[in-house]
């Protein structure tokens, strides 16, 4: 296992380098100037603007700027934001825990919905429960997260006045009341992401269980007199989870994309809202750092999926 993890990490390094090259080149060639406001300000002399651009290396060739950025990243220096003048790593460390908490909780909600509903619907195909589950699943992943988020705000915040629709970071409460306020303002963004992913995964879990439930070893287990619940859990669900783990890992980029939209709707101070504000301000260091962090998280989740394969199926060996 340890050797396998080391090999995968070594493979991940060229992948991350390739991603960083593509991201940096696209951002460098993109239209716009982060110092456009300075150019239109008559109070700032042209030589001051030129010296500022030269000090940041913005007039250097792309390859020189990339290697300067890469060496700084390897030293742990991610640069400064052009807009807020704050170190980029400080901005990301402030926002990343919120995003990971929201995404992590939403994935738990999605799995808590998809696994039992998908398995139960597959063990009773074409029943009333299966038809209702399929209908709700189609509706769930057909609605975009921004539309579902607006419906949640309209119903739970405007009509019922149960939940706040703006995520606040300046909660003055302390102790358990602070945790309760945090939970109340996190429910809607978590449920919007969780229901969207859960609806898509329910269909996939149902299909995977239906493929396994017809195999010979399942029929043999039933013929031996093993209870149906034990057959389902030991021989069906465990084998059906392997393609589900693949789906979850491969959909992590889509999850982060949905989180960006959801954070904008509910004003969640995560890296998604940080990325949007940086794009609007053409804040290149922040854009580069945030997208690179998201790419690293996606690579990590794919590695985690490969590790889970071996736990689900002992026949898989790490060589």
């Amino acid at each position: 296992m340890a050797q396998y993890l080391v090999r995968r990490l070594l493979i991940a390094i060229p992948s991350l380098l390739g991603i960083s090259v593509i991201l940096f080149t696209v951002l460098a060639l993109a239209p716009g100037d982060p110092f456009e406001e300075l150019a239109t300000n008559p109070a700032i002399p042209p030589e001051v603007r030129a010296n500022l651009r030269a000090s940041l290396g913005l007039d250097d060739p792309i390859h020189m700027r990339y290697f300067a950025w890469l060496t700084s990243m390897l030293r742990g220096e991610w640069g400064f934001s052009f807009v807020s003048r704050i170190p980029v790593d400080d901005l990301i460390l402030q926002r990343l825990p919120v995003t990971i908490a929201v995404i992590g909780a939403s994935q738990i909600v999605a799995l808590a919905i998809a696994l039992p509903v998908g398995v139960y619907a597959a063990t009773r195909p074409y029943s009333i429960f299966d038809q209702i589950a399929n209908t709700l699943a189609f509706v769930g992943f057909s609605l975009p997260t921004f539309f579902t988020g607006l419906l949640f705000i309209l119903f739970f915040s405007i009509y019922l006045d149960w939940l706040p629709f703006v995520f606040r970071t300046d909660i003055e409460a302390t102790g358990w009341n602070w945790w309760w306020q945090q939970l109340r303002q996190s429910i809607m963004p978590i449920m919007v992401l969780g229901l969207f992913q859960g609806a898509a995964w329910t269909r996939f879990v149902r299909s995977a269980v239906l493929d396994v439930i017809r195999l010979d070893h399942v029929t043999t287990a039933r013929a031996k007199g093993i209870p149906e619940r034990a057959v389902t859990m030991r021989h069906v669900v465990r084998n059906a989870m392997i393609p589900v783990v693949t789906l979850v890992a491969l959909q992590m980029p889509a999850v982060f994309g949905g989180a960006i939209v959801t954070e904008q709707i509910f004003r969640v101070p995560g890296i998604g809202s940080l990325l949007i504000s940086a794009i609007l301000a053409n804040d290149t260091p922040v854009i580069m750092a945030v997208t690179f962090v998201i790419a690293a998280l996606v690579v990590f989740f794919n590695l985690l999926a490969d590790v889970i394969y071996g736990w689900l199926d002992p026949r898989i060996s790490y060589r």
Side-chain angles (χ1 to χ4, degrees):
M1 171 69 77
Q3 294 180 354
Y4 174 77
L5 291 176
V6 171
R7 287 201 307 270
R8 284 302 305 269
L9 290 174
L10 293 176
I11 294 174
I13 292 175
S15 301
L16 292 175
L17 286 176
I19 293 172
S20 66
V21 170
I22 295 174
L23 289 175
F24 195 92
T25 304
V26 170
L27 291 176
L29 298 178
D33 188 348
F35 296 101
E36 184 176 356
E37 295 183 1
L38 298 180
T40 58
N41 190 345
I44 300 177
E47 58 270 15
V48 174
R49 295 196 298 267
N51 291 335
L52 184 58
R53 292 181 62 89
S55 64
L56 296 175
L58 295 180
D59 295 327
D60 296 336
I62 294 178
H63 67 279
M64 293 180 60
R65 292 160 55 188
Y66 171 76
F67 284 112
W69 173 85
L70 182 60
T71 53
S72 298
M73 284 282 290
L74 295 178
R75 293 197 305 265
E77 300 173 0
W78 293 19
F80 289 84
S81 169
F82 291 158
V83 177
S84 60
R85 305 297 189 269
I86 297 176
V88 175
D89 52 347
D90 290 345
L91 286 174
I92 293 178
L93 290 177
Q94 291 173 3
R95 305 289 192 101
L96 188 59
V98 178
T99 297
I100 291 180
V102 171
I103 290 180
S106 67
Q107 300 312 288
I108 293 175
V109 170
L111 290 174
I113 294 172
L115 291 180
V117 174
V119 172
Y120 192 83
T123 54
R124 292 159 179 80
Y126 310 112
S127 63
I128 296 178
F129 179 87
D130 185 28
Q131 295 177 17
I132 294 175
N134 282 327
T135 302
L136 293 178
F138 276 120
V139 173
F141 68 76
S142 298
L143 298 177
T145 53
F146 69 86
F147 181 77
T148 309
L150 293 177
L151 289 181
F152 271 54
I153 291 175
L154 184 65
F155 187 73
F156 292 106
S157 297
I158 306 300
Y159 288 164
L160 299 179
D161 195 21
W162 286 356
L163 302 171
F165 61 88
V166 175
F167 198 100
R168 295 176 51 197
T169 57
D170 56 346
I171 297 177
E172 298 178 355
T174 57
W176 287 106
N177 189 24
W178 184 86
W179 287 102
W180 170 244
Q181 296 299 328
Q182 287 285 348
L183 177 62
R184 288 183 68 244
Q185 69 180 1
S186 302
I187 287 176
M188 286 200 294
I190 290 173
M191 292 305 297
V192 167
L193 283 174
L195 291 175
F196 180 77
Q197 292 296 326
W201 293 350
T202 297
R203 291 283 302 166
F204 198 84
V205 170
R206 179 184 179 274
S207 177
V209 172
L210 282 176
D211 289 339
V212 176
I213 207 169
R214 301 186 182 98
L215 297 180
D216 293 339
H217 73 277
V218 178
T219 304
T220 303
R222 289 198 184 100
K224 291 180 179 179
I226 300 176
E228 186 65 25
R229 181 182 179 86
V231 171
T232 302
M233 297 305 298
R234 296 178 186 176
H235 300 278
V236 176
V237 174
R238 186 161 184 169
N239 290 306
M241 287 304 100
I242 295 177
V244 174
V245 170
T246 304
L247 176 71
V248 172
L250 294 179
Q251 281 198 341
M252 287 312 299
V255 173
F256 279 102
I260 292 174
V261 177
T262 305
E263 288 180 2
Q264 287 296 105
I265 295 173
F266 297 102
R267 296 297 185 265
V268 179
I271 60 174
S273 58
L274 176 64
L275 178 61
I276 295 297
S277 60
I279 292 174
L280 294 176
N282 203 7
D283 197 349
T284 306
V286 177
I287 299 173
M288 188 66 198
V290 172
T291 51
F292 187 77
V293 167
I294 293 177
L297 289 175
V298 171
V299 171
F300 167 76
F301 280 112
N302 279 272
L303 175 61
L304 183 62
D306 290 342
V307 174
I308 296 176
Y309 290 157
W311 176 71
L312 291 173
D313 192 349
R315 294 173 299 177
I316 298 177
S317 62
Y318 299 107
R319 295 180 180 177

